Amino acid sequence: MKTERLPLPTNYAVAYAAKSCDVDVVAAYPITPQSDIVERIAQFIADGELNAEYIPVESEHSALSACIGASAAGARAFTATCSQGLALMHECLFIASGCRLPIVMCVSCRTLSTPINIHTDYQDSMSSRDCGWVQIYVSSAQEGYDSVIQGYKLAELDEILIPVMVCYDGYVLSHTYEPVIVHSDKDVLAFAPKNVKRVLNPDEPVTLGVFCLPNYEYEFKYQLIDALSKVPNALKIVDKEFGEYFGRSYGLYECYRMDDAEYVLATMGAVASTARVAIDELRQEGLKVGLFRPRLFRPCPSDEWRDILSKFELVTVIDRSISFGSVAGPLLFEILGVFMNERERPMFTNFIAGIGGRDVTVNDIKSMFRRSLEAYREKRSVRSCEYYGVRW
C-alpha cells in the first residue's frame, strides 16, 4: 500500500481525504477558519489532481443547496463551513438529512456572533445537532483525514443514507500542522468506493421533497430516526474495516487510562488532548482519573456510553459550548440522557470552558477536576454548570 507522511493541518488533511474519495462536486463559500479546506481542493482541481466540479456560490445556503442537488443526481458531494456559515445552512441541513443524501461536510468549529469572533468553540456545530446529521468530533489531523473517508463509506451505506458532519476545533486543529499518513487515491477508493444512488433521473422522473400533510409527516421523520439508530453499529463496522485496511481505528469513543480509574473526565476534540496530559499529572498526585472522549456524538451511542460511565461514581464533563438558558452544556445533557431511567448513576459535574477560543490549559483542567472532586467528597449537591474562568 502506497503512503506518504506529510506535515498537514487538519484543514489540509480533510482536503486530501476529499480528493482521495474522488468527490464529484464541491460547493462552498469562504469563511474563516474553514476557507483553507476548499482553497486546497480548488488547487487540486486546478492542478488536474482531482476531476471535480467546483461551484463558487454566493452563500453557504447556496453551497449546501448545490450539494443537495448534486447528491440527488448521483454525485459524491463535499462542502465545508463553520460559525455563521453553518447557521445560514440551517434550513438546508434538515433538507439534506430528510432527503437521505450522503453528503460529507467538514466544520472547522467557530463560535457564533455576536460579538464577532473568529476563534473556536462548538457553538456552531452543537446548535446543529438536532438536524438529523451524523456528527463525528475528532481530536487530531489524522483522525480528521480518516473520518472523512469513513464518513463517505458510512453515509453511502444502503441502510444509512445520512449526511455526515466531521467537526474539529477551529485554529487549534484546523491550522496546526501535524504528521499525517496520506494514502493513495487508489487505496482510499478501494476502501470507500462510490455508492451514491441517483435519485433524480430524467428517464425515471420522481418528485423529491414533496408537500406532506399531518397524516404522514410523522412517519417520514421516523424513517430518519430509524436509520440514525443503525449508525452506531454501522460506524463500528466501518471503523473496524478501516483499521484492518489502513492500520488505524478509533471506535465510537476514546478511553484513556480508564482501566483502573476511579474518576472520569469527559470532553471532546482538542480539549481531550490537553486532558490526557492533565490526567497524567493528576495520577502522579495519586488521583486515579481517566478520560472519556466521545467521537460519535450524534446519533448518541447511548448503550455504549452507559456501559462505560455507569462504573464510576464521579464524572466531570467539560463542555466547549453554551446551551443558553439551560442548566448544563450540550455534552452533559447528552450523557444525562443515557441515564434517564437508571436508579443508580454517577455524580455529574459540568464546566463550560474554552468559549470563543479561550485557552483550556492543563492547569485549567486539573483545577476543574479538583473542584469536582471536592464537591463529591463533601457530598455537595451541584445543580448547574459552572462557567469556568469567566470574569464577572
Side-chain angles (χ1 to χ4, degrees), residues 100-347:
R100 307 288 298 278
L101 299 172
I103 301 161
V104 171
M105 171 163 63
C106 288
V107 179
S108 302
C109 294
R110 166 185 153 183
T111 195
L112 282 165
S113 298
T114 189
I116 296 174
N117 178 330
I118 61 171
H119 294 279
T120 194
D121 61 37
Y122 295 159
Q123 205 68 53
D124 52 2
S125 56
M126 285 296 173
S127 297
S128 301
R129 66 188 186 275
D130 292 336
C131 295
W133 285 53
V134 174
Q135 283 195 336
I136 297 173
Y137 286 77
V138 307
S139 68
S140 71
Q142 184 70 66
E143 190 180 354
Y145 172 87
D146 295 341
S147 295
V148 169
I149 298 168
Q150 290 188 9
Y152 277 114
K153 180 134 185 174
L154 173 73
E156 295 173 5
L157 290 173
D158 291 343
E159 67 273 26
I160 301 298
L161 297 178
I162 297 174
V164 172
M165 201 180 292
V166 178
C167 309
Y168 50 89
D169 305 57
Y171 286 116
V172 180
L173 288 178
S174 69
H175 285 63
T176 301
Y177 280 74
E178 303 175 47
V180 178
I181 296 172
V182 174
H183 299 275
S184 71
D185 299 350
K186 179 182 175 184
D187 289 333
V188 171
L189 271 179
F191 172 77
K194 292 183 185 179
N195 186 35
V196 185
K197 303 294 185 292
R198 189 178 183 184
V199 181
L200 295 180
N201 184 345
D203 297 328
E204 299 177 11
V206 297
T207 301
L208 188 64
V210 296
F211 181 77
C212 184
L213 290 169
N215 55 344
Y216 277 108
E217 174 74 18
Y218 199 4
E219 282 68 29
F220 272 104
K221 291 289 189 293
Y222 198 80
Q223 288 181 357
L224 179 56
I225 293 168
D226 181 59
L228 281 164
S229 72
K230 299 170 184 170
V231 167
N233 190 53
L235 182 57
K236 274 195 278 191
I237 294 171
V238 168
D239 184 67
K240 183 174 181 289
E241 291 174 352
F242 188 92
E244 292 168 353
Y245 198 84
F246 292 113
R248 299 178 301 279
S249 63
Y250 305 91
L252 304 183
Y253 54 83
E254 175 194 352
C255 286
Y256 176 72
R257 303 194 75 168
M258 290 276 275
D259 289 345
D260 65 340
E262 296 175 356
Y263 315 107
V264 177
L265 270 169
T267 191
M268 300 164 71
V271 175
S273 299
T274 310
R276 292 188 204 107
V277 180
I279 285 168
D280 289 344
E281 294 187 7
L282 287 166
R283 281 187 168 251
Q284 290 175 8
E285 301 172 18
L287 296 169
K288 291 186 176 180
V289 191
L291 170 69
F292 175 70
R293 176 178 71 87
R295 177 173 180 248
L296 175 64
F297 181 72
R298 282 293 176 95
C300 173
S302 55
D303 291 343
E304 287 82 356
W305 287 18
R306 185 170 50 249
D307 289 346
I308 289 291
L309 297 177
S310 62
K311 303 169 187 170
F312 302 94
E313 294 190 3
L314 174 64
V315 178
T316 302
V317 180
I318 302 174
D319 263 290
R320 197 166 204 167
S321 179
I322 300 170
S323 182
F324 288 100
S326 173
V327 298
L331 176 57
L332 177 58
F333 260 124
E334 206 73 14
I335 293 173
L336 285 175
V338 309
F339 286 95
M340 183 172 63
N341 289 320
E342 300 299 317
R343 290 182 180 275
E344 295 188 2
R345 63 185 191 186
M347 173 181 171

Side-chain angles (χ1 to χ4, degrees), residues 27-31 55 57-69 79-96 103 105:
Y29 188 81
I31 182 169
I55 308 175
V57 291
E58 82 285 1
S59 75
E60 287 84 354
H61 187 283
S62 298
L64 188 51
S65 297
C67 287
I68 288 170
T79 188
T81 191
C82 63
S83 191
Q84 310 303 127
L86 184 57
L88 190 53
M89 286 181 175
H90 192 72
E91 173 190 5
C92 300
L93 293 175
F94 284 93
I95 294 171
I103 301 161
M105 171 163 63

Side-chain angles (χ1 to χ4, degrees), residues 362-390:
V362 171
N363 285 336
D364 289 332
I365 294 173
K366 289 163 64 178
S367 173
M368 285 185 265
F369 173 74
R370 288 194 184 101
R371 290 188 198 201
S372 180
L373 184 61
E374 184 178 303
Y376 168 74
R377 287 175 170 170
E378 294 176 356
K379 298 183 179 179
R380 182 160 26 98
S381 178
V382 179
R383 297 189 180 279
S384 64
C385 62
E386 177 178 335
Y387 293 91
Y388 180 83
V390 69

